[in-house]
Amino acid sequence: MLEIKTIREKRLEKKWSQTHLAQLSGVPQPTISQIENGTRQYPTFENMKKIAEALDLRLEDIF
């Protein structure tokens, strides 16, 4: 199961906005918002990998 909270918590822990995470990861900010809010039920593996790398997380930490 996808750990949406982990993404949001790690981003907030770093004091990053969704826009900043988008710039670092290359994933559009609206997509990050949808992932965090749970409205994007099936995010792509590639986007999740980019977000994980930007946040210094392993994919296992968010799946």
Side-chain angles (χ1 to χ4, degrees):
M1 183 169 147
L2 186 61
E3 290 296 327
I4 305 299
K5 266 196 321 194
T6 303
I7 295 169
R8 180 179 286 138
E9 287 172 0
K10 189 69 169 179
R11 178 178 62 77
L12 294 175
E13 181 182 300
K14 291 178 174 283
K15 297 181 172 43
W16 290 356
S17 65
Q18 288 180 349
T19 301
H20 186 69
L21 178 55
Q23 291 169 343
L24 293 176
S25 67
V27 176
Q29 182 276 326
T31 300
I32 291 171
S33 177
Q34 292 168 354
I35 292 169
E36 286 188 358
N37 292 324
T39 56
R40 179 161 294 217
Q41 294 181 351
Y42 303 104
T44 66
F45 176 81
E46 190 60 35
N47 280 345
M48 295 308 291
K49 182 178 175 195
K50 289 177 182 179
I51 291 170
E53 287 174 358
L55 291 170
D56 290 324
L57 293 170
R58 298 172 306 152
L59 277 174
E60 296 82 24
D61 295 333
I62 56 176
F63 282 109

